[in-house]
Amino acid sequence: MPPIITLLTDFGTSDTYVAQMKGVILGISPDATIIDITHDVQPQAIEQGAFLLESAYRYFPSGTVHVAVVDPGVGTERRALAVRTNRWMFVAPDNGLLTSVLRNEEQFEAYEITNSRFMLPQISSTFHGRDIFSPAAAYLSLGTPVSELGPQVFDPVMLPPPPVPSDNTFEGRIIHIDRFGNCITDIEESRFRNWLGSRTAVITVSGQLIHGPIRTYAEAAPGGLSALFGSSGRLEIAINMGNAAVELGLMLGSKVLVRV
């Protein structure tokens, strides 16, 4: 099977940045299949990028190389990482973007990309996605051992852990808004269920009270506000046949409070 390389960025599709990355990859690994996870991460939104990468990476075949670039520190001293897990490889800036992957995967090795053999000859200070991450991913897809890219790293940057509830409250934040306007929080279902037990909960968001959570979007009446756990395994705020983000004025970082 041809090697698979995925791309996740905040570059959008109105510029040529993504095409340049693909051109570099195909120039090194011409048989590679390149899959776009998304290029619509909000600009510089590292936490959102980490969530979206987590939601997709494990559904790809073993050996896939995942490239993630949400990189507000491009050109600074932040490290460029290549990571090998039991099944996949990852290339990304060392800014927390790989946090969810590293928490999920019990075994991994991380290396700083410093070997110029696996970069373009000229390195732009503003576009490491093209000049460092893309060639590194292409060489990995051809079988280059990840350890050849540079020295091993034992302290990759990690984002703060998911929220921990108190006895009677659980406060989270919105980390992603999907195209339907569903607002996905950092409150994980397993932790929520263990905390709530047999008690009932009221969710407060943007001054609105929601009883729940419910099981499906359609359990709410059309236009009805609800909370539920979606396919990501995190608490979502939704409006059946509507857009919760628009109607409630929600955005990344907005708080969601659950009370017993």
Side-chain angles (χ1 to χ4, degrees):
M1 184 174 74
I4 298 173
I5 299 174
T6 75
L7 300 179
L8 178 149
T9 77
D10 59 351
F11 294 162
T13 55
S14 61
D15 301 297
T16 68
Y17 303 131
V18 174
Q20 292 178 57
M21 291 178 65
K22 292 180 178 181
V24 169
I25 290 169
L26 293 173
I28 297 168
S29 183
D31 295 327
T33 297
I34 304 175
I35 304 294
D36 298 296
I37 293 179
T38 183
H39 300 293
D40 290 326
V41 178
Q42 290 194 22
Q44 294 89 50
I46 296 170
E47 186 178 33
Q48 182 191 31
F51 163 74
L52 291 171
L53 179 62
E54 179 190 26
S55 71
Y57 80 86
R58 67 191 74 190
Y59 298 103
F60 284 84
S62 296
T64 296
V65 181
H66 295 288
V67 182
V69 186
V70 181
D71 196 14
V74 62
T76 68
E77 294 302 311
R78 71 94 186 91
R79 297 174 296 195
L81 291 186
V83 173
R84 178 180 62 203
T85 70
N86 286 338
R87 294 187 58 192
W88 307 278
M89 290 176 283
F90 300 84
V91 179
D94 184 26
N95 60 9
L97 191 56
L98 296 180
T99 296
S100 297
V101 172
L102 301 184
R103 285 187 179 138
N104 290 340
E105 300 302 316
E106 294 182 357
Q107 295 182 342
F108 68 87
E109 294 179 355
Y111 296 84
E112 183 178 4
I113 304 171
T114 59
N115 191 336
S116 60
R117 290 173 49 206
F118 305 109
M119 306 177 188
L120 292 191
Q122 294 184 328
I123 306 299
S124 165
S125 62
T126 63
F127 198 0
H128 288 182
R130 176 192 65 196
D131 302 338
I132 296 177
F133 299 124
S134 292
Y139 283 111
L140 289 174
S141 77
L142 294 174
T144 298
V146 66
S147 58
E148 290 191 15
L149 272 61
Q152 191 165 6
V153 170
F154 298 97
D155 60 344
V157 172
M158 301 288 281
L159 297 174
V164 176
S166 66
D167 288 342
N168 295 311
T169 61
F170 201 157
E171 183 175 307
R173 296 178 302 109
I174 293 170
I175 59 173
H176 178 59
I177 299 171
D178 70 17
R179 73 181 302 269
F180 302 100
N182 302 319
C183 300
I184 301 168
T185 76
D186 56 359
I187 297 176
E188 299 173 339
E189 181 172 14
S190 57
R191 182 168 293 182
F192 177 91
R193 301 290 187 193
N194 290 335
W195 165 75
L196 187 63
S198 61
R199 302 178 297 180
T200 58
V202 175
I203 298 126
T204 304
V205 57
S206 192
Q208 301 291 316
L209 297 181
I210 309 169
H211 292 273
I214 60 177
R215 192 176 62 87
T216 69
Y217 300 109
E219 285 184 39
L225 181 63
S226 66
L228 71 160
F229 287 96
S231 62
S232 69
R234 289 173 170 81
L235 186 69
E236 300 182 16
I237 307 301
I239 291 180
N240 187 14
M241 307 298 289
N243 187 309
V246 171
E247 296 191 32
L248 298 180
L250 300 175
M251 59 187 68
L252 297 186
S254 292
K255 291 183 179 181
V256 176
L257 181 64
V258 185
R259 288 190 178 93
V260 173

